[in-house]
Amino acid sequence: MTSSDIQLLAIALAGVLFLVGLIVSRIRLHPLLALLVTALAVGLAVGMPVDKIVSTMTGGAGKTLSGVGLVIALGAMLGKILADTGVTESISEALIRKTPAHLLPWAMAATAFVVGIPMFFEVGLVVMLPLIFSVARKLKSASETPSGVRGSSYMFVGVPVIAALASMHGMVPPHPGPLTAIAALDASVGATMIYGFCAAIPAIILAGPVYGRFIAPKLAAVRPDGEMISQFTEKTGEDRSAMQPPSAGLSLLTALMPALLMLLHSLTQLALPGGSGLLTVTAFLGNPVIAMLLSVLFAALVLVYLRQGDAEVLRSSMTASLRPIGNVLLIIAGGGAFQHVLAAANVGDAIMHLSLQFHLSPLLLGWIIAMLLSVSTGSATVGIVGAAGLLAPLAGAGNVNTSLLALSIGAGSLFFNYANHAGFWLVKESFSMSMKEATLSISIIQSIVALVGLAMVLVMNLLPAIG
């Protein structure tokens, strides 16, 4: 490890502290401006040419939005259609009516567990937001606070969802992170999936319902912006009609259609050979943008057009659904700019050089490298690719369980999702949280998931290997 590596790590750490200071100090700079200023400052501090700083910032913002921007926008439209036609309300009422209040976090975690099998974290959260807001609003507006619900109802039911989506995203194939590690380490997909489920379930329980019950009273003031809540939970304008909500089956099909399309692709990906024509079709249908687009069109068709709804009201409603998410999208873009400046400054290389100074078990070392890379660069993908590439020679030596190593790397990449991660800003802005509240929620949730995942890896390594 050289002095330049130490300097890079010091600049990266100072950059994160500077970013937090701009947002939470008396300056109270808007997060988008704070992210852009910090990205510029870090780029200058590491000696990056000014033209490269600009291109890296704009390229990072564009790349980040290309991955989640359309999905979030289409998810907002779908959520608004489901709210205006009574689907979200009917599902939340059924969930509350049939589930005791103290078991609602478990029901929400189970729902997110299923939704999270095929979906990226950000996509799954967008799909689940209408249900989170609707259930939480009904709990909050009840004439008597239900037994077992203390503090913020939005955290009470939201924390388990975040925990489940994060666990599935980082530890269970066919998500890109675990698949990337599997490919680099030549591990077994089936074995890694079994190990992933075994690690994800206790992680979801501890980081979800258990931690949610602890943190909800401490975050009692957390409540999403009124416009965001109404977008996902309330009927608006002329659409407050006497039209009856659709059947339970149609409601569930419409709400879960994005997850079903992505799950179909995931299953065919595991079952069919690479050149299969059917796999090509399901890959197209299961692409997050296509899945969300088809789901919006399907919802508009079966919930509005075929039920003689007002097309003009539908268009106005979808237009209104995009207004509250503009701020969220721009902040996510700012996070992408900051993340890519850190990556272009080769902070990841400095982290890998640092990790080589320690002589540890490959399973523990993989988790640490992925964790350090993810925290420092703001990209779980960078953490996974860097750790898997660095440890691939050890995997080839044959003295390590490669499936558990892939799982350990995936778990490490989840640790302490913070201000240079796009997911952090999506959660923060969706729930209208302060930096402290967001840190106590998503950052701690994902840290618990990562630590439980590592613990499960070490325990399962004591058992006979699968496959």
Side-chain angles (χ1 to χ4, degrees):
M1 187 172 178
T2 65
S3 58
S4 61
D5 290 332
I6 297 174
Q7 183 180 8
L8 273 177
L9 294 176
I11 291 173
L13 177 60
V16 173
L17 296 176
F18 178 61
L19 170 64
V20 174
L22 289 177
I23 295 173
V24 304
S25 69
R26 291 185 178 182
I27 300 175
R28 296 289 178 181
L29 204 60
H30 187 279
L32 172 62
L33 295 177
L35 286 162
L36 295 178
V37 169
T38 303
L40 179 61
V42 169
L44 292 172
V46 299
M48 193 181 297
V50 290
D51 56 338
K52 185 178 180 181
I53 295 175
V54 175
S55 63
T56 302
M57 289 173 61
T58 54
K63 185 176 181 180
T64 302
L65 277 186
S66 70
V68 300
L70 285 176
V71 171
I72 292 174
L74 291 169
M77 288 184 174
L78 178 61
K80 189 60 175 170
I81 295 174
L82 296 179
D84 283 352
T85 54
V87 170
T88 305
E89 185 175 3
S90 63
I91 293 176
S92 62
E93 283 181 348
L95 192 61
I96 291 175
R97 185 172 61 251
K98 296 181 179 180
T99 308
H102 68 281
L103 293 181
L104 273 175
W106 299 86
M108 295 294 288
T111 303
F113 177 87
V114 175
V115 170
I117 291 175
M119 286 191 171
F120 296 173
F121 174 83
E122 292 87 354
V123 181
L125 183 61
V126 170
V127 170
M128 289 293 295
L129 278 178
L131 186 59
I132 294 172
F133 288 177
S134 185
V135 171
R137 191 184 67 148
K138 289 183 179 299
L139 287 176
K140 185 175 180 61
S141 62
S143 57
E144 288 186 17
T145 303
S147 175
V149 180
R150 296 170 52 235
S152 171
S153 60
Y154 295 92
M155 288 290 94
F156 185 71
V157 298
V159 166
V161 170
I162 295 171
L165 294 175
S167 298
M168 302 304 289
H169 181 79
M171 296 193 286
V172 180
H175 284 282
L179 284 179
T180 300
I182 288 169
L185 301 171
D186 196 24
S188 165
V189 174
T192 307
M193 180 173 285
I194 294 172
Y195 283 135
F197 278 122
C198 292
I201 291 173
I204 292 170
I205 291 173
L206 291 176
V210 174
Y211 181 67
R213 182 172 292 276
F214 165 78
I215 199 62
K218 302 182 186 312
L219 300 179
V222 170
R223 184 181 187 276
D225 179 78
E227 190 175 1
M228 185 76 79
I229 296 174
S230 64
Q231 170 183 325
F232 287 123
T233 62
E234 295 178 358
K235 300 180 182 180
T236 57
E238 298 176 32
D239 216 32
R240 293 182 179 273
S241 61
M243 188 166 56
Q244 292 297 315
S247 65
L250 182 59
S251 296
L252 287 173
L253 174 62
T254 309
L256 294 178
M257 190 174 179
L260 294 175
L261 289 174
M262 294 183 204
L263 180 59
L264 177 64
H265 172 226
S266 300
L267 294 176
T268 56
Q269 194 175 27
L270 295 174
L272 299 177
S276 169
L278 179 58
L279 180 59
T280 302
V281 173
T282 59
F284 173 74
L285 296 177
N287 178 279
V289 173
I290 300 301
M292 292 300 295
L293 175 61
L294 292 177
S295 299
V296 172
L297 295 176
F298 179 77
L301 177 65
V302 300
L303 299 179
V304 180
Y305 293 123
L306 294 183
R307 302 174 74 217
Q308 308 304 312
D310 191 321
E312 186 61 35
V313 170
L314 172 64
R315 184 168 68 173
S316 299
S317 180
M318 287 196 289
T319 299
S321 72
L322 298 178
R323 295 189 189 117
I325 66 169
N327 188 59
V328 176
L329 289 175
L330 288 174
I331 291 174
I332 289 174
F338 181 37
Q339 170 195 324
H340 280 71
V341 167
L342 289 173
N346 296 320
V347 173
D349 292 341
I351 290 291
M352 285 194 285
H353 296 159
L354 173 65
S355 66
L356 292 176
Q357 307 299 311
F358 305 99
H359 302 285
L360 301 169
S361 157
L363 297 179
L364 181 58
L365 186 60
W367 187 93
I368 291 174
I369 294 173
M371 178 270 291
L372 291 174
L373 287 172
S374 177
V375 170
S376 62
T377 65
S379 171
T381 302
V382 171
I384 290 172
V385 171
L390 193 63
L391 297 179
L394 289 178
N399 58 351
V400 61
N401 186 325
T402 54
S403 295
L404 283 178
L405 180 57
L407 175 59
S408 178
I409 290 171
S413 72
L414 295 173
F415 188 84
F416 206 73
N417 183 307
Y418 197 54
N420 54 347
H421 287 71
F424 175 90
W425 294 103
L426 178 60
V427 172
K428 177 185 178 299
E429 297 303 316
S430 295
F431 289 87
S432 299
M433 291 188 282
S434 67
M435 290 292 290
K436 178 181 178 181
E437 290 167 340
T439 302
L440 289 174
S441 55
I442 182 172
S443 300
I444 300 301
I445 290 168
Q446 295 207 190
S447 298
I448 295 172
V449 169
L451 290 169
V452 173
L454 173 62
M456 291 300 298
V457 164
L458 297 178
V459 169
M460 289 187 288
N461 192 47
L462 301 176
L463 306 175
I466 297 174

